[in-house]
Amino acid sequence: MDDLFAGWVGWFVASFLGLSFGSFGNVAVYRIPRDGLSVRKPARSFCPRCSAPVTWRDNIPVLSWLLLRGRCRACGVSISWVYPAVELVTGLLFAGFWWRLGPPAGGAPVDVLVPWVMAFLCVVVSAIDLEHFIIPDVITLPGVALGLVASLAFPSLHAAHAMFDATSPHGSSLVVALTGMAAGGGSLWLVGRLGNLMLRNQVEAAGVEDAMGLGDVKWMAFAGTLLGPILVLEAILVGCFAGALVGILLKVHARVTGGDGPVGLPFGPFLSVGILLELAWPGLAWDVMTLIHA
Ligand SMILES: [Zn+2]
């Protein structure tokens, strides 16, 4: 059984599940920010312009979009490349975690479950944040609750943590999750307060209330329940560096091409990169920093 999953069958299942979850992710990305649409109703996906239902053969992840050359079969309206991208990225992340933590790396198939769920949510949150500049409460609030319950029920989630105590696994696992929640949400909230002070003029000019929304705070509180207090802080550091780097590159690009440059960048996608990196390589950010320091 283990040998079977370590071979091509495992890769096939991981990629297939990833592409399928990516396909469902598109439904979530489209419907969650729009009032009156839920991920359950209507059951069938439809074309946003002509309302034609999407048949199963036009709903195969990535492949259908390529075969249709990015156009609706009924009305010919162009379908955004974001749809196949969401499917492809989710598929690659599922396969990546399988390779890094699953049977090919000597782990058990269940070891990838939490990273898979988080990979799916990272893609959904990033796609929604890029388009709408929000991270919906429907994802983050149940996420916090689920993260705490999962930590209490499955102490192995936090077994590698320094605060984990093998003599009281369930209790200490919950403590790691709660501390992670406070560290993730609290530190980002502080960064947001500081950002408001430092960027007061830009924030007022942009006509928004906050340099950083509370969606990011709840997102990292959720991530903290799964990563614990140390790794979630590293994930935020990675997010800050990645966001600053991309922000600078976009400003330089705007100066060279004479454009305006971005008014603001959504933070969610960068934080998600940090979360996924720390899930795949716990402590990586710290190791890189100490390496640079040495
Ligand atoms: Zn159409």
Side-chain angles (χ1 to χ4, degrees), residues 172-197:
S172 63
S173 174
L174 183 63
V175 169
V176 174
L178 284 168
T179 322
M181 179 185 79
S187 60
L188 211 55
W189 184 81
L190 273 178
V191 171
R193 297 294 96 189
L194 283 174
N196 277 352
L197 287 178

Side-chain angles (χ1 to χ4, degrees), residues 24-292:
F24 175 64
N26 277 322
V27 178
V29 169
Y30 184 80
R31 293 187 187 180
I32 287 177
R34 288 173 172 81
D35 288 337
L37 289 173
S38 87
V39 290
R40 286 186 299 275
K41 276 192 293 186
R44 264 286 176 73
S45 291
F46 55 89
C47 169
R49 192 171 93 174
C50 71
S51 298
V54 180
T55 57
W56 70 267
R57 67 169 174 156
D58 291 342
N59 209 8
I60 302 162
V62 185
L63 202 65
S64 290
W65 187 85
L66 291 174
L67 289 174
L68 289 166
R69 294 200 185 85
R71 299 198 169 276
C72 168
R73 186 184 290 278
C75 72
V77 69
S78 83
I79 306 164
S80 168
W81 57 269
V82 172
Y83 289 93
V86 161
E87 291 161 351
L88 192 64
V89 169
T90 314
L92 287 173
L93 286 173
F94 271 48
F97 277 116
W98 186 258
W99 162 73
R100 176 75 192 132
L101 305 170
V110 291
D111 293 343
V112 298
L113 285 185
V114 166
W116 275 1
V117 170
M118 215 45 198
F120 167 71
L121 291 177
C122 280
V123 173
V124 169
V125 158
S126 299
I128 291 177
D129 203 11
L130 276 170
E131 193 184 342
H132 303 274
F133 285 83
I134 52 159
I135 299 179
D137 284 351
V138 248
I139 295 174
T140 52
L141 296 184
V144 169
L146 213 70
L148 293 176
V149 171
S151 300
L152 185 65
F154 308 105
S156 60
L157 267 177
H158 296 301
H161 201 277
M163 284 197 297
F164 186 77
D165 177 5
T167 56
S168 57
H170 295 275
S172 63
S173 174
L174 183 63
V175 169
V176 174
L178 284 168
T179 322
M181 179 185 79
S187 60
L188 211 55
W189 184 81
L190 273 178
V191 171
R193 297 294 96 189
L194 283 174
N196 277 352
L197 287 178
M198 291 191 300
L199 303 171
R200 195 178 290 156
N201 296 330
Q202 283 98 317
V203 170
E204 268 171 25
V208 291
E209 265 176 43
D210 265 306
M212 178 162 33
L214 282 176
D216 298 308
V217 171
K218 289 173 236 174
W219 179 226
M220 291 321 279
F222 169 30
T225 63
L226 298 174
L227 287 171
I230 296 165
L231 297 185
V232 79
L233 291 178
E234 289 191 29
I236 291 172
L237 273 180
V238 172
C240 288
F241 276 117
L245 189 68
V246 171
I248 289 165
L249 287 177
L250 286 174
K251 278 228 170 82
V252 170
H253 179 258
R255 186 145 302 172
V256 171
T257 58
D260 277 338
V263 180
L265 278 175
F267 202 9
F270 300 107
L271 291 170
S272 299
V273 168
I275 295 171
L276 294 172
L277 272 178
E278 290 301 325
L279 278 173
W281 287 276
L284 177 80
W286 183 255
D287 292 345
V288 171
M289 273 192 294
T290 46
L291 212 71
I292 293 168

